[in-house]
Amino acid sequence: MTRYSLHNGFKAVVIGGSAGSFQGIIKILSQLPADFPLPIIMALHRLKHVRHGFVEALSIKSKLKIAEPDDKESIKRGSVYLAPANYHMSVELGNYFSLSTEMMLNNSRPAIDITLSSAAYAYKTKLIGILLSGANKDGGLGMKSIHDRGGVTIVQTPAECMIDTMPKAALSLTKIDYTLGIDQIIDFLKELYHQYK
Amino acid sequence: MIQDIDIKDLKRITDLVYAKHGYDFRNYAMSSFKRRMLRILEVWGLNIESLLNKLADSTIFIDDFLDEMTVNVTEMFRDPGFWRLLREEIIPGVMLNNKQFKIWHAGCSSGEEVISMNIMLHEMGVKENVKIFATDLDKSILDRARSATYSLKNMETNEKNYVRFQGKTALKDYYTEENGRAVMKKDLLSNVVFQKHDLVLGEAFAKFDLVLCRNVMIYFNQALQNEVLKKFHGSLNKYGYLAIGAKESMIWCDYANRFIVVNQEERIFKKIRD
């Protein structure tokens, strides 16, 4: 059970995804227990003007509660957070979110790089970053921030991705600790879960 | 490229800007503030020390600095559902009390929201009954707002929002194309006063029936949000309305209980107690 040499000192899991990541995320969320011990923070590319429906779609098979946080909302264990449409979502020191309407980054708002980099700054070595399928390079620099600050980096196996641009960008920018398929990512998170039991 | 700025250095900059120029960024939300500071350093090719020197010397430079530090990304009819609610419930609600009324756009940026308001009021046939004050900290963005000139690329988003707002006509009826830019019709701003005003250090300056401050306070920390909400409270007539951004919250603010929620989805509140 020590394939991934995990400890129980992590503070959060952050997930980035874009085109082709939706099914994988649904699968991951459906497999996690309701008492998963860490907050899961998700920045997923989405339509700017559609405010509703995404949380509901992700919630159908999830035992965990999924929400789009308000500005300055506290980050709690056992919750899944989704960056709201047309806002960037940052993690602040002090364990809460801030939202912003700054210009798009990598043609995206929410931008994955912003969520990942701010989380890396706030959680340092106590962060796990996961980057899934996607069609642009957003998230690559965010994964580099996580690695540079001593966090754990995981990308979805490019061969499994519907569009592999995003994980490949991360692989070319920084050291990725694990390249895993969705099922292995689920195993990883379950093993992490057992560290906290 | 500089990857990160130390919090101590950010504090040196905000302290200098406050002491030397009288603008207070000390209570801005950290992540977005740091990103914009990194952008300034990159765009202007400066490091922390040269930025500090420039800020200590120049009085002209501070305007460029403010323009970069304030976030000026906005859309006409952003959140069309919000604008439909204004048209169908909030403005009629205001008019029950006063046929003539006043609106404050706090942090108006390049003016898209002011334009949206006046298009809506015009289509409701009540624009001439309304006086609008639009304020911002950033002098150059106020000039841009006064010019009411926008890129055609942005007009595509604005047009889509307007269609979702279910306006009476087409957005292009409200502007002409000149030199590849969209120039809004001049009379759209006939009832508007643009004015420089600092939400952080400035005082309440008039009483309004509707205050809009959407996606401005997200750049402040909670302590500052709390203070600014008090100013809005002081700037509203009793039973006046306050609109904040769709993902902003004020439930933890000292003055929250002096308001009631009119619409939680669109974050519209009504002042019920002085």
Side-chain angles (χ1 to χ4, degrees):
Chain A
M1 285 299 282
T2 55
R3 257 183 311 167
Y4 301 115
S5 67
L6 297 172
H7 55 80
N8 63 1
F10 290 105
K11 293 265 181 70
V13 177
V14 60
I15 301 178
S18 184
S21 69
F22 184 69
Q23 292 307 329
I25 285 172
I26 292 275
K27 193 166 179 189
I28 292 169
L29 290 175
S30 73
Q31 297 291 314
L32 295 181
D35 59 345
F36 190 77
L38 298 176
I40 297 175
I41 298 165
M42 301 193 298
L44 309 176
H45 290 167
R46 54 188 299 185
L47 292 171
K48 267 173 64 183
H49 63 273
V50 181
R51 258 158 60 178
H52 299 290
F54 205 174
V55 164
E56 291 78 357
L58 291 171
S59 296
I60 291 170
K61 290 185 177 169
S62 170
K63 299 178 196 76
L64 289 154
K65 187 180 164 299
I66 305 170
E68 291 168 351
D70 280 344
D71 179 52
K72 307 300 181 304
E73 187 170 325
S74 296
I75 299 171
K76 297 196 183 75
R77 296 155 57 101
S79 287
V80 180
Y81 298 98
L82 175 69
N86 215 0
Y87 285 95
H88 294 304
M89 181 174 80
S90 302
V91 176
E92 300 283 344
L93 289 171
N95 211 33
Y96 62 91
F97 290 111
S98 64
L99 303 179
S100 95
T101 57
E102 288 158 272
M103 66 179 77
M104 292 200 278
L105 181 66
N106 306 318
N107 272 318
S108 308
R109 189 172 52 231
I112 300 167
D113 275 340
I114 285 181
T115 303
L116 266 53
S117 300
S118 61
Y121 182 75
Y123 298 125
K124 309 208 162 47
T125 60
K126 295 168 177 168
L127 180 67
I128 295 162
I130 303 175
L131 192 64
L132 305 176
S133 173
N136 76 3
K137 65 177 172 53
D138 194 18
L141 283 174
M143 292 298 270
K144 180 169 166 23
S145 301
I146 294 173
H147 172 74
D148 291 349
R149 295 187 182 281
V152 176
T153 51
I154 301 172
V155 297
Q156 187 177 3
T157 312
E160 189 191 272
C161 291
M162 192 183 289
I163 302 168
D164 62 11
T165 314
M166 203 179 259
K168 276 187 170 166
L171 283 161
S172 74
L173 278 168
T174 188
K175 180 179 176 300
I176 296 298
D177 297 307
Y178 304 104
T179 300
L180 306 174
I182 291 291
D183 289 334
Q184 294 167 294
I185 291 172
I186 291 166
D187 288 344
F188 177 96
L189 293 171
K190 283 183 172 169
E191 194 170 318
L192 182 68
Y193 170 76
H194 290 297
Q195 289 297 318
Y196 288 79
K197 287 283 105 182
Chain B
M1 187 185 138
I2 300 166
Q3 295 289 338
D4 207 349
I5 308 179
D6 204 76
I7 290 180
K8 280 198 218 83
D9 286 330
L10 284 177
K11 194 171 174 321
R12 287 168 72 202
I13 295 166
T14 53
D15 285 350
L16 176 69
V17 168
Y18 180 61
K20 171 97 182 164
H21 301 285
Y23 296 102
D24 192 355
F25 289 97
R26 294 174 300 175
N27 287 306
Y28 271 52
M30 186 58 75
S31 295
S32 54
F33 185 79
K34 193 167 76 178
R35 276 196 296 278
R36 296 202 299 289
M37 194 65 80
L38 282 167
R39 196 185 124 81
I40 281 189
L41 295 176
E42 192 189 335
V43 170
W44 291 339
L46 300 172
N47 59 33
I48 297 286
E49 298 309 322
S50 52
L51 176 66
L52 281 165
N53 286 336
K54 228 165 140 74
L55 284 168
D57 280 349
S58 164
T59 50
I60 301 164
F61 181 69
I62 187 69
D63 288 333
D64 296 335
F65 180 82
L66 292 180
D67 195 34
E68 283 292 337
M69 289 315 292
T70 49
V71 171
N72 291 312
V73 180
T74 174
E75 299 165 13
M76 289 180 199
F77 296 99
R78 181 179 167 127
D79 303 325
F82 167 81
W83 291 95
R84 290 197 301 269
L85 189 71
L86 276 194
R87 178 179 60 199
E88 279 138 37
E89 288 181 33
I90 306 303
I91 299 295
V94 171
M95 292 185 68
L96 281 180
N97 298 328
N98 309 301
K99 289 279 171 278
Q100 312 272 330
F101 59 98
K102 284 200 285 191
I103 297 174
W104 178 19
H105 291 267
C108 67
S109 188
S110 39
E112 279 88 339
E113 196 161 78
V114 180
I115 297 280
S116 312
M117 179 65 78
N118 262 337
I119 287 173
M120 183 190 75
L121 293 171
H122 167 76
E123 292 186 359
M124 295 175 77
V126 300
K127 174 171 162 276
E128 301 315 315
N129 304 337
V130 185
K131 189 97 189 123
I132 294 181
F133 287 81
T135 64
D136 205 283
L137 178 68
D138 175 1
K139 228 164 55 182
S140 35
I141 206 72
L142 283 172
D143 289 339
R144 261 180 277 169
R146 283 189 195 98
S147 78
T149 302
Y150 302 98
S151 81
L152 290 174
K153 186 170 174 295
N154 287 357
M155 292 313 285
E156 290 171 25
T157 303
N158 297 337
E159 177 77 50
K160 282 181 194 156
N161 286 345
Y162 178 79
V163 168
R164 291 192 187 97
F165 161 71
Q166 296 158 0
K168 278 191 171 168
T169 164
L171 196 56
K172 64 173 162 42
D173 295 339
Y174 293 103
Y175 65 87
T176 52
E177 284 186 34
E178 293 173 25
N179 305 318
R181 308 270 293 167
V183 182
M184 307 308 294
K185 296 203 166 155
K186 279 285 164 279
D187 62 341
L188 270 179
L189 295 178
S190 61
N191 58 342
V192 181
V193 175
F194 288 101
Q195 200 171 291
K196 183 168 165 155
H197 177 261
D198 182 349
L199 265 184
V200 180
L201 298 176
E203 300 296 322
F205 58 94
K207 290 274 189 187
F208 296 92
D209 303 287
L210 169 60
V211 173
L212 289 92
C213 186
R214 301 170 70 220
N215 301 316
V216 176
M217 289 191 287
I218 52 178
Y219 298 104
F220 303 161
N221 69 18
Q222 285 186 300
L224 183 54
Q225 290 181 346
N226 193 41
E227 292 309 308
V228 172
L229 184 66
K230 288 179 187 167
K231 289 180 195 177
F232 290 146
H233 179 268
S235 305
L236 279 165
N237 289 318
K238 201 170 180 187
Y239 307 121
Y241 294 87
L242 171 67
I244 59 178
K247 299 302 291 178
E248 295 182 270
S249 174
M250 58 178 218
I251 42 170
W252 43 266
C253 288
D254 292 342
Y255 277 27
N257 63 358
R258 300 180 192 212
F259 292 86
I260 53 166
V261 179
V262 175
N263 187 292
Q264 175 62 14
E265 172 67 23
E266 302 297 348
R267 307 291 158 104
I268 300 177
F269 303 87
K270 185 187 229 175
K271 171 176 167 176
I272 51 155
R273 287 204 290 129
D274 281 323

